[in-house]
Amino acid sequence: NAGVTQTPKFQVLKTGQSMTLQCAQDMNHNSMYWYRQDPGMGLRLIYYSASEGTTDKGEVPNGYNVSRLNKREFSLRLESAAPSQTSVYFCASSGIAGRRTDTQYFGPGTRLTVL
Amino acid sequence: DQQVKQNSPSLSVQEGRISILNCDYTNSMFDYFLWYKKYPAEGPTFLISISSIKDKNEDGRFTVFLNKSAKHLSLHIVPSQPGDSAVYFCAASIDGQNFVFGPGTRLSVLP
């Protein structure tokens, strides 16, 4: 099992460009998440999807959109990148139906730089 | 205002000694807590969890203690090994699905 995979690993964008970060999990998890990690800030939740077909905003959703394409895949889109979106982005998944508490499993991250 | 705080950005410990990483939270509704470990250029990996109905949980060299009245938890690593050198994140949850993460503590275990 690959667990949670993310593409690309690295990306450099110019201000105003758009891009989509891809995430896939093969653990049959219901929930998927997108976080960003900035120095001294820990991981902050951007968007999450509690189940296929649903998405909800997290702590820092502005400037992002998401799509839960199917149970396996959850993408994050930056429509018009800004330097403030320079960060490391992590996708995570969790959730076996019926369990109230569950560990989140993380992908390796995408390091994004916006010039 | 951060709901989950890790006030020590870094910690250095001698190999074989105990490492104690601390975490404080402000929201009394949090009732489930996780510790994650993160190596450079990798995603965080789950280490240990604790529910608010317990005050201690042990897994091998790792023990997490929860003091609900003080809104404080700590992670003890005994004995510390060089491979434990990483950033450790504390995370807290109300619903067990969505977590608030602390800023992390970088642990260096010196040989």
Side-chain angles (χ1 to χ4, degrees):
Chain A
N1 281 356
V4 180
T5 57
Q6 292 183 235
T7 55
K9 284 190 167 53
F10 302 93
Q11 184 72 48
V12 178
L13 294 177
K14 294 181 180 176
T15 297
Q17 287 185 317
S18 62
M19 80 160 295
T20 300
L21 282 65
Q22 306 286 354
C23 174
Q25 52 93 8
D26 62 3
M27 296 174 282
N28 201 35
H29 283 162
N30 291 314
S31 303
M32 296 185 75
Y33 308 80
W34 276 105
Y35 291 90
R36 59 178 289 173
Q37 185 194 6
D38 301 296
M41 299 288 288
L43 292 148
R44 291 184 293 168
L45 183 65
I46 304 170
Y47 270 94
Y48 67 99
S49 170
S51 61
E52 188 178 353
T54 68
T55 60
D56 286 286
K57 294 179 180 179
E59 182 186 351
V60 288
N62 291 347
Y64 306 95
N65 285 301
V66 290
S67 295
R68 183 74 182 267
L69 304 168
N70 48 55
K71 191 169 187 180
R72 287 188 66 247
E73 298 172 288
F74 189 38
S75 63
L76 178 72
R77 181 158 179 86
L78 287 71
E79 291 290 352
S80 179
S84 61
Q85 294 177 305
T86 294
S87 189
V88 182
Y89 290 85
F90 290 101
C91 176
S93 71
S94 74
I96 298 170
R99 276 175 59 160
R100 183 185 168 271
T101 57
D102 228 322
T103 302
Q104 293 184 9
Y105 294 85
F106 284 82
T110 295
R111 186 174 294 274
L112 175 67
T113 301
V114 183
L115 302 175
Chain B
D1 187 33
Q2 284 187 336
Q3 296 188 70
V4 178
K5 303 176 186 181
Q6 294 176 257
N7 291 324
S8 298
S10 62
L11 175 68
S12 292
V13 169
Q14 210 67 36
E15 182 179 4
R17 306 294 292 267
I18 184 170
S19 295
I20 301 176
L21 294 93
N22 293 306
C23 177
D24 296 288
Y25 60 96
T26 58
N27 190 339
S28 58
M29 298 292 290
F30 288 141
D31 66 354
Y32 190 64
F33 305 88
L34 302 177
W35 282 94
Y36 280 88
K37 176 179 178 178
K38 185 184 179 303
Y39 292 119
E42 294 183 11
T45 54
F46 169 73
L47 197 55
I48 193 167
S49 64
I50 190 165
S51 163
S52 62
I53 63 173
K54 294 186 173 182
D55 54 19
K56 177 182 173 182
N57 190 25
E58 234 174 312
D59 184 1
R61 295 186 297 114
F62 303 92
T63 303
V64 56
F65 295 91
L66 176 61
N67 182 334
K68 289 185 289 294
S69 60
K71 297 194 186 71
H72 176 83
L73 63 157
S74 60
L75 174 68
H76 292 211
I77 306 173
V78 185
S80 302
Q81 299 174 353
D84 296 329
S85 297
V87 177
Y88 289 79
F89 292 100
C90 167
S93 175
I94 296 171
D95 61 5
Q97 292 291 322
N98 294 318
F99 288 86
V100 178
F101 284 78
T105 295
R106 182 178 301 278
L107 174 65
S108 299
V109 179
L110 309 172

